[in-house]
Amino acid sequence: MLEIKNLHASIDEKEILKGLNLSVKAGEVHAIMGPNGAGKSTLASVVAGKEDYEVTEGSIELEGENIDELGADERAHQGVFLSFQYPVEIPGVSVTNFIKTAINETRKARGLEDMPARDMLKKIKEKSELLEIDSKFLSRSLNEGFSGGEKKRNEIFQMAMLEPKVAILDETDSGLDIDALRIVANGVNKLKSEDNAVIVITHYQRLLDYIVPDFVHVLHDGKIVKSGTKELALELEEKGYDWIKAAL
Ligand SMILES: Nc1ncnc2c1ncn2[C@@H]1O[C@H](COP(=O)(O)OP(=O)(O)O)[C@@H](O)[C@H]1O
Ligand SMILES: [Mg+2]
């Protein structure tokens, strides 16, 4: 699904990713952990195609196609989803209207007509029921006055509606309370399928009490230095990151 090979990326001439390899197959959930400043958010941004970063070496393939040359919008249309991609507040634009527009833009990019209104409503109903999102929330203005948990709910709803091939959830930033963690975890557990893959970035072991990843990777100094199963996350919680650094 997603193949990252020898990825080197810089910002303002400073190299952040230093030869990162990651292979994610359909149906898998991967957790990426690591100390602050390791490059986790950079990895998410580079995969999503954010322009501030310069890829100097290596490649990123989505379903066997190289996506290095695609812009962020094109990658989104190809099925790459990044949480916090649309954090802006848009007064007067509801959660529902925003996602309708996003879906129809993606369809347009694929040469399809707008989704018929009835199908759209059906999909909104189905996904909001699955995620236990009430209709009042769906009619609120996008991100306006959203709590941490509501922001997460909105992101997970966007992910459910857009049905990305690869979803990258960067959960490192901003105070995530236990409710917000649960919203993210429930969403991932309900939305994972044999046709998609999820990468959860976190330095909270707690999140992995709710999401059981197939693989856990430790990112340190721009590279993945250790990979394992969920036991690795437990070991990290117990021992911290220093033992990994010491073993390098
Ligand atoms: N916009 C930026 N300009 C300069 N340096 C940056 C920028 N974004 C990130 N960095 C640097 O890149 C390194 C990795 O950051 P980041 O990817 O945010 O790490 P993590 O998410 O693992 O905490 C850090 O040293 C950080 O200071
Ligand atoms: Mg980060």
Side-chain angles (χ1 to χ4, degrees), residues 36 40-42 170 172-173 201:
N36 270 329
K40 302 183 297 298
S41 297
T42 300
D170 189 349
T172 320
D173 308 297
I201 297 174

Side-chain angles (χ1 to χ4, degrees), residues 1-2 22-32 81 156 159 164-171 184-185 187-193 195-201 207 211-215 217:
M1 180 71 61
L2 185 72
L22 180 67
S23 174
V24 178
K25 297 197 172 62
E28 293 177 348
V29 176
H30 289 239
I32 297 185
F81 176 90
I156 293 295
M159 176 180 155
K165 290 175 191 156
V166 176
I168 306 170
L169 306 174
D170 189 349
E171 303 305 338
V184 171
V188 169
N189 292 333
K190 283 183 176 168
L191 298 172
K192 69 181 252 190
S193 79
D195 304 317
N196 65 24
V198 183
I199 300 172
V200 184
I201 297 174
L207 181 61
I211 300 175
V212 180
D214 299 295
F215 298 97
H217 309 278

